[in-house]
Amino acid sequence: MKIEQHLDTIIENFLKLKAYAPSMEEIAKAWITSLEQGNKIMFCGNGGSAGDSQHLSAELVGRYKMNRPALSALSLTVDTSALTAIANDFGYEHVFSRQVEGLGKAGDCLVGISTSGNSQNIVNAFLKAKEMSIKTIAFTGESGGKMKELADICLNVPSSVTNNIQEMHIACGHILCDMVEKHFFAA
């Protein structure tokens, strides 16, 4: 495939993504409500989605575009001791649900990022979050997978191709960070 064809695919996907603006508005409102109530946003994902989880958390805690106070967010993918201990003692499918149980509280938001929507460790985290009255937000590919059924809000971007899904996830995440940042800190 030529470079131009790759770029055409990206352009087409992003044009389709405009239809998902209402879901993104709903997610932004959920994040804002959680933060206004003194709660936090937790992110989780595997592989490239783990990278996105860390990236978006850092945008909120650090800064997106504005120098401003930190917002309460964390990625459940970064504590190697917790991840490896939980995986060893309970199984990899519980690496996020155990952290949600220990770190989460009612009113928080849990953002699960999975291109398939079927990552068992995120599904289990969503189940635990539901028990704890934590709002669940799924970033998935087109089908939504199991996470679509469990999520309070699902952003199932319009592609079934992993790299294209990831491109849209990080772009949507940036838009959401911008919306949250402007809500709290725009003059």
Side-chain angles (χ1 to χ4, degrees):
M1 185 181 268
K2 292 182 179 181
I3 292 171
E4 291 84 0
Q5 290 172 308
H6 284 285
L7 292 170
D8 285 343
T9 299
I10 292 167
I11 290 165
E12 289 169 21
N13 285 336
F14 275 78
L15 287 173
K16 288 182 213 168
L17 197 55
K18 281 184 174 183
Y20 294 75
S23 294
M24 292 171 57
E25 288 276 353
E26 192 177 358
I27 293 167
K29 286 177 186 170
W31 289 11
I32 289 165
T33 298
S34 183
L35 293 167
E36 283 179 336
Q37 294 173 348
N39 292 301
K40 68 186 157 301
I41 303 167
M42 299 178 286
F43 294 87
C44 61
N46 298 291
S49 297
D52 289 348
S53 171
Q54 293 170 48
H55 184 144
L56 295 174
S57 173
E59 300 287 24
L60 294 172
V61 175
R63 70 182 200 115
Y64 179 60
K65 292 182 180 176
M66 296 179 194
N67 287 328
R68 40 89 179 156
L71 294 167
S72 186
L74 70 130
S75 174
L76 302 178
T77 65
V78 297
D79 185 340
T80 54
S81 295
L83 290 169
T84 56
I86 295 165
N88 186 60
D89 296 346
F90 298 96
Y92 189 71
E93 67 274 16
H94 299 290
V95 295
F96 300 134
S97 59
R98 291 290 291 190
Q99 291 184 78
V100 168
E101 183 178 0
L103 300 170
K105 66 178 183 172
D108 287 344
C109 281
L110 174 64
V111 181
I113 306 172
S114 169
T115 58
S116 70
N118 291 315
S119 299
Q120 193 60 51
N121 54 3
I122 301 175
V123 168
N124 289 343
F126 274 25
L127 293 170
K128 179 54 70 179
K130 292 276 189 202
E131 288 174 22
M132 297 174 64
S133 299
I134 294 170
K135 192 156 197 108
T136 53
I137 298 165
F139 282 31
T140 69
E142 199 163 33
S143 76
K146 294 176 190 171
M147 288 167 56
K148 183 177 182 179
E149 300 164 22
L150 295 171
D152 292 307
I153 308 167
C154 183
L155 179 64
N156 53 319
V157 298
S159 180
S160 58
V161 180
T162 300
N163 63 291
N164 295 132
I165 295 167
Q166 291 172 331
E167 291 155 359
M168 288 184 274
H169 281 173
I170 201 62
C172 291
H174 277 161
I175 292 166
L176 291 164
C177 289
D178 187 65
M179 293 170 73
V180 168
E181 194 173 70
K182 284 180 178 163
H183 173 82
F184 285 104
F185 304 107

